[in-house]
């Protein structure tokens, strides 16, 4: 049985590193730039993959130079892309300032689209977790995505992201009706709940979904609530690049739960993985880091 189903985009991240973004009409020199394979769903799968967890990846890849780059990178990583589409694959311009904070400008292509027929062959397959990202739900094909996922067997884990409030309200309510695990950061929890304090915000979201709510708190770790509170400290580190931190936290949490770790242990492990991601450029850890994390997870 494939334990995790990950649905969403794989994109070319054009990583641009600079001291700070200029103001409007400003001018700045960058330190350097590089291309890196990314995208929220890919970032989740990337963690599952190097931690040797079973998964199925539904991620369309388009044409053009970005699509060609994605195919080469996925092949090198040993991750299969599900569907090849004729339309152009887009990219994400990731501006990373000297303190590690990132700003995204995205050019969405066919990698953010969805077709219901992609899930037809797995409609009867049970999954432990089904991952959805707010970016795909926001797209014109997002309603079809939610409707298709509602027919599957498995615990949905939904990461709405910073643009989550741009998802049409009826579509967001349809996701809540699936009783998903919500995975958000502190700012997102406050925005989605309309609360000013984090504890009532989490409790408010739990009342709506009736399911676990996970909130990442950066260097302060993470908390979760499902009627009981769970807390796990963070792993302070020198922040180099925050791209993919939340996505990697999701992937590590899913991996830990698939290995049978309890809630607090899973949060702690996810915090550790995320701390290593933010201390690196992009979302790719060294082989040595991957092996150490894989060994640690298997021994818990």
């Amino acid at each position: 049985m494939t334990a995790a189903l990950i649905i969403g985009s794989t994109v070319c991240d054009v990583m641009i590193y600079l001291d700070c973004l200029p103001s409007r009409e400003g001018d700045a020199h960058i330190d350097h730039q590089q291309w890196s394979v990314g995208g929220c769903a890919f970032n989740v799968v990337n963690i599952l993959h190097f931690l040797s967890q079973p998964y199925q990846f539904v991620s369309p890849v388009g044409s053009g130079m970005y699509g060609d780059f994605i195919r080469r990178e996925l092949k090198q990583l040993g991750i299969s892309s599900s569907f090849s589409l004729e339309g152009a694959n887009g990219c994400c311009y990731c501006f990373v300032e000297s303190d590690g904070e990132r700003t995204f400008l995205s050019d969405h292509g066919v990698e953010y689209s969805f077709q219901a027929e992609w899930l037809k062959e797995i409609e009867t397959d049970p999954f432990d977790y089904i991952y959805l990202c707010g970016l795909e739900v926001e797209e014109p094909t997002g309603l079809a995505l939610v409707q298709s996922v509602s027919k599957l067997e498995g615990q949905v884990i939904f990461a709405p992201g910073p643009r989550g409030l741009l998802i049409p309200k009826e579509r967001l309510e349809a996701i809540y009706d699936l009783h998903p695990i919500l995975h958000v950061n502190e700012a997102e929890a406050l925005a989605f709940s309309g609360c000013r304090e984090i504890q009532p915000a989490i409790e408010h979201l739990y009342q709506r979904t009736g399911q676990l709510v996970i909130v990442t708190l950066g260097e302060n770790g993470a908390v979760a609530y499902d009627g009981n509170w769970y807390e796990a400290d963070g792993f302070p580190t020198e922040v180099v690049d925050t791209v993919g931190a939340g996505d990697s936290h999701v992937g590590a949490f899913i991996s830990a739960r698939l290995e049978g770790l309890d809630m607090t242990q899973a949060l702690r492990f996810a915090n550790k993985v995320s701390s290593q991601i933010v201390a690196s450029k992009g979302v790719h850890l060294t082989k040595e880091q991957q092996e150490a994390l894989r060994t640690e997870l298997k021994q818990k």
Side-chain angles (χ1 to χ4, degrees):
M1 181 187 74
T2 302
L5 172 63
I6 312 300
I7 306 171
S9 62
T10 304
V11 305
C12 174
D13 285 341
V14 181
M15 311 289 295
I16 302 171
Y17 295 88
L18 72 170
D19 285 339
C20 63
L21 285 168
S23 60
R24 184 180 182 187
E25 298 183 356
D27 192 346
H29 291 285
I30 70 170
D31 181 69
H32 68 283
Q33 65 175 310
Q34 65 189 49
W35 283 19
S36 178
V37 60
C40 295
F42 167 80
N43 294 341
V44 174
V45 159
N46 181 49
I47 303 298
L48 290 164
H49 183 72
F50 80 67
L51 290 174
S52 302
Q53 297 301 313
Y55 65 85
Q56 186 156 334
F57 191 29
V58 176
S59 183
V61 180
S63 60
M65 61 180 182
Y66 298 127
D68 292 342
F69 171 78
I70 292 301
R71 286 188 181 84
R72 288 195 303 270
E73 292 297 303
L74 290 178
K75 182 178 180 180
Q76 184 173 349
L77 290 167
I79 298 174
S80 62
S81 57
S82 300
F83 303 96
S84 291
L85 303 181
E86 293 184 0
N89 211 95
C91 70
C92 180
Y93 299 96
C94 307
F95 297 89
V96 183
E97 299 180 76
S98 59
D99 65 353
E101 193 53 78
R102 88 293 185 276
T103 301
F104 294 153
L105 292 176
S106 298
D107 176 18
H108 283 195
V110 297
E111 73 276 12
Y112 283 95
S113 64
F114 174 78
Q115 298 176 28
E117 63 190 49
W118 295 345
L119 301 185
K120 286 294 183 182
E121 293 184 1
I122 58 174
E123 276 188 345
T124 59
D125 294 348
F127 297 96
D128 290 292
Y129 293 99
I130 302 170
Y131 168 84
L132 286 180
C133 171
L135 290 175
E136 283 77 31
V137 176
E138 180 189 343
E139 290 290 308
T141 55
L143 179 58
L145 172 58
V146 175
Q147 291 173 338
S148 295
V149 167
S150 70
K151 301 175 184 177
L152 302 178
E153 179 183 342
Q155 174 60 62
V156 174
I157 181 166
F158 178 53
R163 291 178 56 88
L165 289 179
L166 297 176
I167 297 171
K169 189 175 186 301
E170 67 279 5
R171 204 174 298 173
L172 195 57
E173 292 297 327
I175 292 179
Y176 288 160
D177 288 342
L178 299 178
H179 305 292
I181 293 174
L182 288 182
H183 190 283
V184 293
N185 62 29
E186 187 172 6
E188 292 161 1
L190 297 175
F192 274 89
S193 66
C195 299
R196 295 183 178 182
E197 301 293 335
I198 193 62
Q199 181 171 331
I202 295 172
E203 292 173 342
H204 175 85
L205 293 172
Y206 170 74
Q207 288 172 2
R208 176 60 185 89
T209 64
Q211 187 52 270
L212 181 72
V213 178
I214 301 171
V215 179
T216 57
L217 304 171
E219 65 179 11
N220 294 319
V223 297
Y225 181 73
D226 63 359
N228 296 302
W229 286 98
Y230 310 92
E231 297 183 26
D233 292 335
F235 292 79
T237 187
E238 182 179 352
V239 177
V240 173
D241 178 347
T242 60
V243 173
D247 309 325
S248 299
H249 195 277
V250 177
F253 175 80
I254 292 174
S255 298
R257 293 295 284 168
L258 292 176
E259 285 290 338
L261 273 66
D262 66 29
M263 197 66 67
T264 302
Q265 290 174 323
L267 288 175
R268 180 175 172 79
F269 181 75
N271 292 347
K272 184 171 187 178
V273 172
S274 185
S275 74
Q276 294 190 15
I277 292 293
V278 301
S280 309
K281 288 186 176 180
V283 297
H284 302 283
L285 301 178
T286 66
K287 294 295 183 182
E288 291 75 17
Q289 288 175 309
Q290 293 179 9
E291 179 61 30
L293 288 169
R294 184 164 54 247
T295 299
E296 178 180 340
L297 180 62
K298 298 295 182 180
Q299 291 177 345
K300 284 186 177 292

